[in-house]
Amino acid sequence: MTGSEAPRDATPVRPGLNTGRAALAGMLAGALALGVGELLAGISSSTPSLVVSVGELLVDVAPIKAVRASIAIFGTNDKPALLIGIVVATLVITGLLGVLATSRRWIGVAGFALFGALGAWAGTRNPMASDIAAVLVAVVAIGAGLGALFWLLGTLGTAETAEAVSAREPETAAPGTEHLVDRRGFVTAAVVVGVGAAASAYVGRLLGSRSVVEAARSNLSLVATAETTVPTSVPAPVTFTAADYPGLSSLFTPNETFYRIDTALEVPQVDPAKWRLRFTGMVDNPYELTFDELLAMPLVEQTITLSCVSNKVGGSLVGNAAWLGVPLTELLDEAGVQPGATQVVGRSVDDFTVGFPTAVLEGDRPALVAVGMNGEPLPAPHGFPARLVVSGLYGYVSATKWLTEVELTTLDAFDAYWIPRGWAKEAPIKTQSRIDVPRTSRPLSPGTVPIAGIAWAPSRDIVRVEVQVDDRPWAEASLGERVSEHAWRQWVYLWDAEPGEHQLRVRATDGTGETQTEVVHAAPPDGATGWHTIEVNVSAS
Ligand SMILES: Nc1nc2c(c(=O)[nH]1)N[C@H]1C(S)=C(S)[C@@H](COP(=O)(O)O)O[C@H]1N2
Ligand SMILES: [Mo]
């Protein structure tokens, strides 16, 4: 074999340099595969992102301890951190594949194919994607990656050969110029592949964000078309507003700042034109509704405080909103719930599920298939086009977002998403109160200091809030507007503060006369308890 026809797997003359380039070639090829995958994912909502799908696969198979640990480390950034981790790991592995493939091309092919298979498998598990689309995305992405890998390694092959030639025939070859040309061959290919990877990823993400959902939402104007059957209570004297006490939670939590809990790595984008709500299971008349059919039903507005079971005492995973929707009982009446049914299961487009006893619906507590939140169509992160909201139950057992199916079954027959993950099967919201003001580490001035916050016991009402300074007797706070027994109440206590260190505590009493328990309990498995307590420092003057 002559130098000019050197085999592609010629032994590198300068292994160090070429190993570096081969690793770069592998990484660039990996990046292109990911970029092309994102580009295809951006084109339609049924083509999955391979990176996101693999992320969801990992979350699914990861032991609960690992998930908790990653949330502990990354906090609410755990999702971006996971996706970045997947990209970095992919590039490291494809870099290695690039090095191995310089001498044995089949290793590169096999490695990329394995990646493709993992991506395709994860994509087909993605409940929002079509299986064929998932496989196609993986095949095209891996094809692009392998094409790039062979091209890049090909330019290296020439460079090696040139070096070999110049080493054997120093007087005929012009090593300097050959080298330059060949290095340029690699550099050019590397730039082309790198730019292609970045551009395809960027365009794909851009396409993905240009969603049908925002267009559909902005075309909707939703108003209540029926009176609520639930007595929305006494208009109590409005003695103050949040504006008077900077830091106090507003009566209605703005949609933009309302807390969010999702298991999905990306907010599901549900086209309302294609969306259906099905009523299934132990019903006499299973049926399905389109979004327009749902909107044509009587829409009521109910103000309901929603809380996450994992909210700590004093935590921020709680919000109050006016929800517009169709009473779940009306929808279930059409379906005809069979007598043996004991559990209502809410399923989401993302496979998330909730479940609560049918008995919950027996009283007059509001349970809505909600389409509006604080006067707007539901924002996508809060479940557009429709979600469940049930007064008095923690979100994980009641509040399915991107709702697509309501199934009637028995309590024994099915455990919803969080139940096998260690949370309680039944989970009414515990009476809680929180001090919002003062929340400062800076010393306060002596004199009148407002202590203010919120208290909630949705479906049981709040009738009293008390504040305790150090070990003085409990003093009653004034309560703000009472929108309904399902909504939180603001409270304010004007404290005559004296210099020194002080401890402030709050406790609420619900409409059944029960005062929230002092017993300190962490959130798992059914919600935290204890009195929110803070320390403040009042300066001498
Ligand atoms: N589809 C879906 N619905 C969901 C969840 C979810 O992860 N996926 N989280 C639940 C939990 S744990 C809570 S506390 C509430 C939070 O609703 P929000 O994000 O609108 O505040 O939604 C519930 N509904
Ligand atoms: Mo939650």
Side-chain angles (χ1 to χ4, degrees):
M1 208 171 274
T2 70
S4 58
E5 295 165 3
R8 292 199 131 181
D9 55 355
T11 314
V13 173
R14 294 163 66 189
L17 182 63
N18 273 316
T19 304
R21 287 189 196 162
L24 184 59
M27 286 185 167
L28 287 168
L32 185 71
L34 294 180
V36 167
E38 289 309 303
L39 179 64
L40 296 174
I43 290 171
S44 140
S45 59
S46 56
T47 48
S49 157
L50 299 179
V51 176
V52 172
S53 300
V54 169
E56 283 173 347
L57 176 73
L58 290 180
V59 172
D60 251 22
V61 301
I64 297 167
K65 275 191 182 151
V67 175
R68 289 221 180 113
S70 92
I71 291 172
I73 296 168
F74 297 110
T76 46
N77 290 327
D78 63 324
K79 286 168 186 144
L82 175 63
L83 298 179
I84 290 168
I86 290 169
V87 170
V88 170
T90 305
L91 298 185
V92 167
I93 296 172
T94 57
L96 193 68
L97 287 173
V99 174
L100 296 173
T102 48
S103 51
R104 280 177 222 99
R105 287 290 196 269
W106 68 265
I107 296 184
V109 175
F112 271 69
L114 272 179
F115 260 104
L118 175 67
W121 180 50
T124 56
R125 285 175 43 111
N126 185 323
M128 282 163 288
S130 101
D131 289 0
I132 300 170
V135 173
L136 272 179
V137 172
V139 168
V140 175
I142 294 311
L146 275 177
L149 183 67
F150 276 69
W151 182 28
L152 287 162
L153 292 182
T155 65
L156 285 185
T158 331
E160 288 153 15
T161 309
E163 286 167 29
V165 169
S166 62
R168 274 196 308 277
E169 303 169 41
E171 62 287 350
T172 53
T177 51
E178 286 265 358
H179 230 131
L180 204 62
V181 170
D182 293 319
R183 193 184 294 131
R184 268 202 206 128
F186 177 77
V187 171
T188 308
V191 169
V192 168
V193 174
V195 170
S200 54
Y202 177 76
V203 173
R205 290 265 125 185
L206 204 69
L207 287 175
S209 64
R210 174 220 60 171
S211 84
V212 290
V213 167
E214 281 321 305
R217 280 189 74 236
S218 59
N219 285 335
L220 278 176
S221 74
L222 302 174
V223 285
T225 50
E227 293 288 314
T228 61
T229 49
V230 180
T232 46
S233 51
V234 199
V238 183
T239 51
F240 56 85
T241 68
D244 301 330
Y245 303 99
L248 171 61
S249 300
S250 53
L251 186 50
F252 293 90
T253 313
N255 292 355
E256 294 68 38
T257 51
F258 203 100
Y259 83 94
R260 270 180 60 194
I261 304 286
D262 311 329
T263 58
L265 290 179
E266 286 194 318
V267 172
Q269 303 290 318
V270 182
D271 181 350
K274 296 184 191 142
W275 177 87
R276 296 290 181 273
L277 177 58
R278 284 173 293 132
F279 292 85
T280 63
M282 297 173 68
V283 293
D284 293 332
N285 168 36
Y287 72 105
E288 62 173 45
L289 277 175
T290 65
F291 193 50
D292 287 341
E293 286 166 342
L294 182 68
L295 296 187
M297 298 194 58
L299 295 172
V300 299
E301 189 165 73
Q302 298 275 7
T303 300
I304 300 169
T305 292
L306 180 63
S307 171
C308 185
V309 66
S310 53
N311 194 33
K312 298 187 176 86
V313 173
S316 58
L317 301 180
V318 57
N320 186 52
W323 306 96
L324 181 75
V326 180
L328 181 59
T329 45
E330 293 199 16
L331 294 160
L332 288 178
D333 284 348
E334 303 241 327
V337 176
Q338 293 170 359
T342 52
Q343 181 174 212
V344 180
V345 171
R347 296 180 185 278
S348 164
V349 300
D350 68 350
D351 276 0
F352 178 83
T353 51
V354 304
F356 57 88
T358 48
V360 162
L361 301 175
E362 276 159 21
D364 59 3
R365 84 167 77 200
L368 298 177
V369 172
V371 293
M373 181 178 185
N374 291 327
E376 272 183 50
L378 271 184
H382 293 289
F384 183 84
R387 74 174 303 169
L388 287 174
V389 179
V390 181
S391 171
L393 301 185
Y394 286 117
Y396 82 104
V397 289
S398 66
T400 312
K401 301 189 279 186
W402 315 289
L403 179 71
T404 188
E405 182 179 346
V406 174
E407 186 193 348
L408 273 293
T409 179
T410 63
L411 285 163
D412 284 339
F414 181 74
D415 284 335
Y417 185 90
W418 282 112
I419 313 310
R421 292 166 171 84
W423 296 86
K425 175 102 181 183
E426 293 187 31
I429 296 180
K430 294 176 178 173
T431 304
Q432 265 298 343
S433 49
R434 184 178 82 195
I435 301 171
D436 287 344
V437 181
R439 267 210 184 171
T440 167
S441 49
R442 275 177 290 129
L444 306 166
S445 305
T448 305
V449 169
I451 305 172
I454 45 169
W456 63 95
S459 83
R460 293 186 307 280
D461 208 357
I462 289 291
V463 296
R464 188 163 59 249
V465 173
E466 296 160 291
V467 173
Q468 187 184 41
V469 177
D470 304 323
D471 5 305
R472 283 188 232 161
W474 286 91
E476 211 167 318
S478 345
L479 297 182
E481 185 176 352
R482 177 176 181 267
V483 187
S484 83
E485 67 207 56
H486 311 285
W488 69 23
R489 289 188 81 171
Q490 300 161 309
W491 54 266
V492 173
Y493 173 74
L494 297 180
W495 171 40
D496 188 14
E498 282 159 21
E501 298 280 339
H502 297 283
Q503 189 188 61
L504 311 178
R505 306 205 277 183
V506 64
R507 69 180 187 193
T509 300
D510 70 20
T512 71
E514 197 160 323
T515 299
Q516 79 180 76
T517 175
E518 177 180 13
V519 175
V520 174
H521 199 291
D526 63 353
T529 62
W531 292 335
H532 187 208
T533 304
I534 65 169
E535 311 282 334
V536 293
N537 184 3
V538 179
S539 61
S541 59

